[in-house]
Amino acid sequence: MKSTVKNPKLSLVDWWKYRKKKDLNRSKGGNFLVFLMLLLLGSFMALPVVYSIVQAFKPMEEIFIFPPRFTVQNPTVKNFKLIGQLAGSLWVPFSRYLFNSVFVSFAGTLGNVLISSMAAYPLAKHDFVGKKVLFKLVTLSLLFTGGVIELPRYIVMTKLHIINTYWALILPTIASSMGLFLMKQFMEQLNNSLLEAARIDGMNEFQIFIRIVMPLVKPAWLTQIIFAFQGVWSMTGGNYIYREDLKLFPTALSQIQSGGIARAGVAAAASLVMLIPPVIMFLITQSSIMETMAHAGIKE
Amino acid sequence: MKEQLYSIWRIFFPKRVKSTLTLWQQIKRSKSSYLLLAPYFILFTIFTIIPVFAAIGLSFTYFNMLNVPEFIGLSNYKALFLNDEIFLLAIKNTIVFAVITGPIGYFLCFILAWFINDLPKPVRTFMTLVFYAPSLSGNMYMIWQYIFSDDQYGLVNSFLMTFANIGIIDDPIKWFTDEKYVMTALIIVQFWLSLGAGFLAFMAGFKVVDKTLYEAGAIDGVKNRFQELIYLTLPQMKQQLLFGAVMQISSSFAVGQISISLAGFPSTNYAAHTIMTHIYDYGNVRYDMGYACAVATILLLVMLLVNKVIQSVLVEKNY
C-alpha cells in the first residue's frame, strides 16, 4: 500500500483515503494519549541513560555544584583521558584485562553459537526418543538465568578444578540455554523438503547441518551472538576468578570506579566505554534480532 | 494428574504405532541426532543440571568447602524457618520485589513495545536501543547512585529540596541507606532494568501479527486501538507472552546484585535483604554452603512453582 503514493495516476483524494486506511482504528485523542504515556514512560527509561552520558563529559567542578544540573556547561574529555592514566597505575597491565575480556567473549560467543546450534538442529527437525524432555529442561532452565544457581555451580566447578582458569568463564557461557532456545524455535520454520532433498542427495546429518541449515539461520546466530556477547562482556567473573591477571575488563573498570566520590566522572566515562561494543553490535544485528525474536515464543 | 503421568511415561516409551522397533533400535537409529546433541548437553548437564541437584543434595548437609559434607537431615530448613529472622525478612523483601516489579515490569515491557510499534522505522530502532540500553550494559544502573544520592547533590534530593523555591523536604533523604526508603528506590531501579529479552520478543511479536486481521476486525466492529489490542493482537501473541513471563520471573525473583551494589551489603538493618543476598551472605561470606544451598533450593522451587502457575493461567486464558 505504501507504493501507491508514488503512483502518478492516483489523485490526492485517493491518496488521502489510503492514508486514512493505514491509520485504521487510530483516533487523534488516542494518539495524543499514547504520545503522553510514551513521553512519560520513555523519559523514565531514557533520562538515566542520558544522564550517565552527560556525567561522563562533566568536568570535576560541575559534578559537585548545588543544585546539580542535568546538562553539561563545559564538556570535557578529561574523564576519558583519566581512565587511561589510572589504568596505567594498576598492578596488572590494563591491556591484560582487555585481552582477557576480548578472548573470553570471543571464545564463549563462538562456542555458544556453534555448539548450541548443533544441538538445536536435531531438537527442531529430528524425531527421537527423549526429545521433548530435553527441550523441556532447556525451557525450564531459562528461569535460572538470573544467577540463582551461581553458588552450586561454583561448588561443581571447584570439584572440576577449573576455578581460576579461562574455562570457568567460557564453558558456562557455551552451556547457556537462551541461545539454544532461540535457535531451536527459529529452525523449526525451515522447510522440511529442503532437508529431505539433501538426504536423498546422500548428505549425512552433519553435512546438512553445516551446509544447509547454518547458512539459512543466519539471523538466529547473529541474535545469539549479541545475547552471548552481552552476557560475557558484562561478566565480572568475580566468583570464579581470583587470580588478578585473569580478571576481566569490568573488574579493572570497577577498581577505577572504587576510588570513591572523587572519581564520579571517571566512573561514568568508564561505564560509557563499556557500553560501546554491545551497542555497536546491537545496531548491526537489530533487524536479525527482530526476525529471530518473532519465533521466540513458548509453545505449550 | 493421571493423564500427565501417562504423557510423561509416553515420552520415554512412545506408542509403537508406526514402527515395530524396540526402544534400543529407535535410539540406535537416531544416532546422529544424539551425536549432534552431545556436546551441548554434556556442558548443560555439568553447569546447569548437576548444580541444581547438587544444591538440593547439599541442602541436607553441613558443608564448608573444606571437609566432606556431613548429612544433617532437615536441620538447615528447620533453622531457616524457625530461627533465622533475617531469612524471613529476605523472603518478605523478595516477594515484595517479585509481586511489584514482576507484573508491572511485564506490563511496562508490553506497553512500551506496543507504543513504539506504530512509529516509523528509524525512530523505532532508536527507541528500542534506548529502552534496551540498561539491559545491554552490565553496570549502567550505577548511575542511580547519583540520581538517588544521599546528599543534596543527588538529582532527586535537589529537586525535592528546591521545588517551587521552598522545597518539599528540608534535609536530603538517604535513599539507599534509610531503611524507610531503600526498597522504594531499589524497586524503581528494578523497573528501569526490566526491559530485557522479553521486551525484544514483544517488539518482534507485534511485527508478525497478521495485519489483514485488523481490516477484517474494523468491518466487524472493532472501534479503537484498545479493542484491537485485546481482541485481535493479544490472542496472536500468546507464545511471546509466555516467553516474556519466563524472562520476567527469572529477573524479578533474582534481585540481589543491585541491592548489594547500590544499598551495600548488608543493607541498613537488612532493609534491602533478598533471598539472593542471603545466599551471597552464607555462600560467599560465611562459607556455610549447606545452608546457602537450602536457601537456593527454596528459591528454585518457588520460581518453578510460580512459573507453572503463570504458564497455566496464560494458556487457559487463551492469550
Side-chain angles (χ1 to χ4, degrees):
Chain A
M1 207 169 289
K2 268 181 199 164
S3 60
T4 50
V5 180
K6 286 173 194 160
N7 191 339
K9 282 181 210 160
L10 205 73
S11 71
L12 207 63
V13 182
D14 285 341
W15 172 81
W16 183 250
K17 270 186 200 157
Y18 276 122
R19 201 202 66 91
K20 281 212 125 171
K21 222 173 183 181
K22 208 182 118 202
D23 292 345
L24 197 71
N25 292 329
R26 295 289 183 270
S27 66
K28 263 187 190 156
N31 276 343
F32 182 71
L33 201 73
V34 163
F35 176 74
L36 212 68
M37 293 264 284
L38 186 62
L39 196 73
L40 213 72
L41 294 174
S43 32
F44 168 67
M45 290 304 298
L47 288 183
V49 178
V50 176
Y51 191 52
S52 58
I53 297 171
V54 167
Q55 283 288 77
F57 290 99
K58 272 187 186 173
M60 185 57 88
E61 54 277 11
E62 269 189 53
I63 291 177
F64 296 104
I65 46 169
F66 182 81
R69 288 213 182 91
F70 193 80
T71 50
V72 50
Q73 243 60 42
N74 307 303
T76 167
V77 288
K78 219 176 130 196
N79 290 324
F80 293 91
K81 282 186 186 152
L82 222 68
I83 301 179
Q85 277 176 28
L86 288 166
S89 65
L90 293 172
W91 181 60
V92 172
F94 196 60
S95 53
R96 178 74 202 214
Y97 293 111
L98 200 60
F99 168 79
N100 288 342
S101 258
V102 171
F103 174 72
V104 168
S105 306
F106 194 74
T109 307
L110 195 76
N112 178 259
V113 171
L114 245 168
I115 289 183
S116 60
S117 10
M118 241 166 86
Y121 168 53
L123 281 177
K125 286 296 172 195
H126 290 175
D127 207 15
F128 56 88
V129 183
K131 173 173 152 173
K132 278 186 184 163
V133 176
L134 289 181
F135 189 63
K136 186 86 193 156
L137 282 175
V138 171
T139 315
L140 278 181
S141 76
L142 283 177
L143 279 176
F144 309 143
T145 42
V148 190
I149 54 168
E150 203 157 289
L151 182 82
R153 196 181 260 180
Y154 166 75
I155 298 172
V156 171
M157 282 194 199
T158 332
K159 291 287 164 227
L160 294 170
H161 301 289
I162 57 168
I163 293 292
N164 269 336
T165 63
Y166 284 130
W167 295 118
L169 301 171
I170 296 173
L171 292 179
T173 310
I174 295 178
S176 78
S177 40
M178 183 73 155
L180 171 56
F181 177 81
L182 293 177
M183 192 56 108
K184 187 252 177 190
Q185 303 296 64
F186 193 78
M187 278 181 182
E188 264 182 352
Q189 41 117 24
L190 291 184
N191 201 340
N192 276 328
S193 55
L194 202 68
L195 306 178
E196 216 43 65
R199 268 178 213 127
I200 291 164
D201 283 350
M203 279 195 193
N204 66 35
E205 292 302 319
F206 292 94
Q207 287 168 328
I208 293 176
F209 167 69
I210 298 283
R211 291 199 204 149
I212 304 207
V213 176
M214 278 309 259
L216 285 174
V217 294
K218 197 172 148 210
W221 45 264
L222 284 175
T223 310
Q224 231 181 320
I225 287 175
I226 181 80
F227 277 118
F229 179 77
Q230 177 194 329
V232 207
W233 183 249
S234 61
M235 193 162 62
T236 52
N239 277 334
Y240 307 134
I241 301 287
Y242 296 96
R243 263 175 62 184
E244 198 57 40
D245 59 335
L246 288 184
K247 281 186 180 168
L248 302 172
F249 193 54
T251 320
L253 289 181
S254 66
Q255 278 175 15
I256 293 173
Q257 288 172 345
S258 65
I261 203 84
R263 292 203 184 145
V266 190
S271 310
L272 202 60
V273 170
M274 279 296 296
L275 188 60
I276 293 168
V279 162
I280 291 173
M281 289 183 71
F282 182 83
L283 284 177
I284 295 171
T285 56
Q286 61 92 21
S287 61
S288 307
I289 294 177
M290 286 302 144
E291 201 178 323
T292 316
M293 296 308 276
H295 303 279
I298 294 174
K299 297 157 187 136
E300 348 71 66
Chain B
M1 190 64 197
K2 212 174 172 185
E3 269 175 24
Q4 278 176 341
L5 277 177
Y6 185 70
S7 62
I8 292 168
W9 172 261
R10 275 290 168 238
I11 291 165
F12 289 104
F13 303 101
K15 268 185 184 169
R16 289 173 201 160
V17 183
K18 284 176 192 161
S19 69
T20 47
L21 296 173
T22 64
L23 182 68
W24 180 241
Q25 278 170 322
Q26 283 184 36
I27 289 174
K28 253 172 94 175
R29 203 183 45 176
S30 23
K31 198 172 67 188
S32 58
S33 307
Y34 293 114
L35 274 174
L36 282 164
L37 283 169
Y40 180 83
F41 274 95
I42 290 169
L43 289 175
F44 182 74
T45 309
I46 295 173
F47 293 104
T48 302
I49 297 178
I50 293 179
V52 168
F53 285 100
I56 297 169
L58 288 171
S59 71
F60 299 108
T61 67
Y62 173 78
F63 181 43
N64 58 7
M65 295 297 285
L66 300 170
N67 305 329
V68 182
E70 180 194 338
F71 184 76
I72 53 168
L74 285 171
S75 303
N76 284 331
Y77 291 99
K78 272 186 205 151
L80 268 177
F81 285 106
L82 299 177
N83 297 328
D84 194 345
E85 276 173 37
I86 294 166
F87 175 65
L88 298 181
L89 189 65
I91 290 190
K92 197 199 97 194
N93 285 340
T94 305
I95 290 174
V96 168
F97 268 119
V99 167
I100 296 177
T101 68
I104 299 180
Y106 187 67
F107 181 72
L108 197 69
C109 281
F110 186 81
I111 204 107
L112 280 175
W114 183 50
F115 284 168
I116 64 178
N117 180 49
D118 270 352
L119 299 172
K121 188 156 195 288
V123 184
R124 190 175 58 211
T125 306
F126 178 72
M127 296 286 249
T128 313
L129 178 66
V130 170
F131 291 159
Y132 190 61
S135 305
L136 207 54
S137 84
N139 63 349
M140 201 188 233
Y141 61 81
M142 294 305 278
I143 194 66
W144 289 91
Q145 258 186 340
Y146 300 104
I147 297 172
F148 280 134
S149 179
D150 284 356
D151 45 37
Q152 75 266 35
Y153 298 116
L155 273 189
V156 176
N157 275 339
S158 87
F159 175 75
L160 291 176
M161 284 165 81
T162 56
F163 186 73
N165 282 329
I166 334 163
I168 299 167
I169 51 168
D170 291 330
D171 297 311
I173 293 175
K174 294 186 179 346
W175 290 102
F176 285 125
T177 42
D178 190 327
E179 46 184 305
K180 265 193 293 185
Y181 298 105
V182 64
M183 281 299 278
T184 317
L186 284 177
I187 284 171
I188 291 172
V189 179
Q190 184 62 28
F191 278 143
W192 184 71
L193 284 168
S194 57
L195 269 67
F199 169 69
L200 293 182
F202 291 158
M203 285 283 306
F206 277 115
K207 279 174 79 179
V208 292
V209 167
D210 187 2
K211 300 285 185 303
T212 56
L213 219 69
Y214 293 147
E215 280 170 41
I219 294 163
D220 282 348
V222 170
K223 282 193 191 67
N224 55 44
R225 71 183 81 203
F226 298 103
Q227 289 182 348
E228 186 182 287
L229 178 74
I230 289 166
Y231 297 118
L232 302 175
T233 316
L234 277 182
Q236 287 192 70
M237 281 180 60
K238 196 161 128 193
Q239 294 176 8
Q240 276 82 13
L241 292 176
L242 285 170
F243 176 75
V246 171
M247 291 287 106
Q248 202 61 39
I249 295 167
S250 111
S251 66
S252 58
F253 273 93
V255 176
Q257 190 54 50
I258 62 159
S259 167
I260 293 173
S261 308
L262 292 173
F265 180 81
S267 44
T268 318
N269 275 337
Y270 291 99
H273 205 58
T274 65
I275 297 186
M276 282 303 285
T277 58
H278 209 58
I279 297 175
Y280 174 83
D281 188 4
Y282 280 90
N284 297 42
V285 181
R286 304 187 204 202
Y287 267 66
D288 189 345
M289 294 300 178
Y291 199 76
C293 281
V295 181
T297 306
I298 290 169
L299 185 55
L300 283 174
L301 291 179
V302 170
M303 284 169 87
L304 284 173
L305 190 77
V306 171
N307 179 49
K308 184 84 199 150
V309 171
I310 288 177
Q311 301 277 323
S312 57
V313 168
L314 283 175
V315 169
E316 254 168 46
K317 279 265 155 93
N318 222 28
Y319 56 78

